[in-house]
Amino acid sequence: MPRLTFVEFDGQTREVDARLGETVMRSARNAGVEGIIAECGGSMTCLTCHCYVTLPESGSLPEPSANEQEMLDCVLEARENSRLSCQVVVTLELDGARFDIPQWQG
């Protein structure tokens, strides 16, 4: 199981063993991570699962789809590493990845 690190808006760190094939959003919600609200349940309509992704040196992540990028263009304080966690699927390449949750989602 890949191990993901979530840094909540207050600085608290949570390490989560995530299941392959599920979304990062689902992994966070199942573990009770604060700030991954996911109001739309993963249908990419609310931006409440936004996070900043830092991959391990050997990690990789597919580029956001055109629809995800369009949504990310609406994010407050968007960064180059902004992603919607509902659109990121857990793979072995994410083992050791860090997901920082913006303060405005707290």
Side-chain angles (χ1 to χ4, degrees):
M1 283 187 152
R3 189 166 200 82
L4 311 179
T5 300
F6 293 91
V7 181
E8 297 174 345
F9 55 89
D10 63 359
Q12 183 176 351
T13 301
R14 293 176 149 244
E15 291 191 3
V16 173
D17 289 323
R19 284 189 230 148
L20 291 173
E22 75 180 0
T23 64
V24 170
M25 177 206 77
R26 183 71 49 213
S27 296
R29 297 288 297 148
N30 288 344
V33 173
E34 295 290 326
I36 300 291
I37 302 162
E39 287 179 357
C40 72
S43 63
M44 198 169 47
T45 60
C46 71
L47 301 175
T48 60
C49 70
H50 170 251
C51 58
Y52 304 115
V53 182
T54 303
L55 294 171
E57 195 170 303
S58 63
S60 65
L61 192 61
E63 293 295 317
S65 68
N67 289 339
E68 181 183 0
Q69 188 58 57
E70 188 175 317
M71 290 296 293
L72 289 169
D73 289 341
C74 301
V75 169
L76 296 173
E77 301 176 23
R79 298 179 189 165
E80 203 170 293
N81 62 339
S82 287
R83 292 299 299 261
L84 299 180
S85 62
C86 70
Q87 298 302 300
V88 178
V89 175
V90 175
T91 63
L92 291 175
E93 288 79 21
L94 286 184
D95 187 42
R98 174 179 162 145
F99 299 85
D100 289 272
I101 301 164
Q103 186 171 5
W104 59 270
Q105 278 177 214

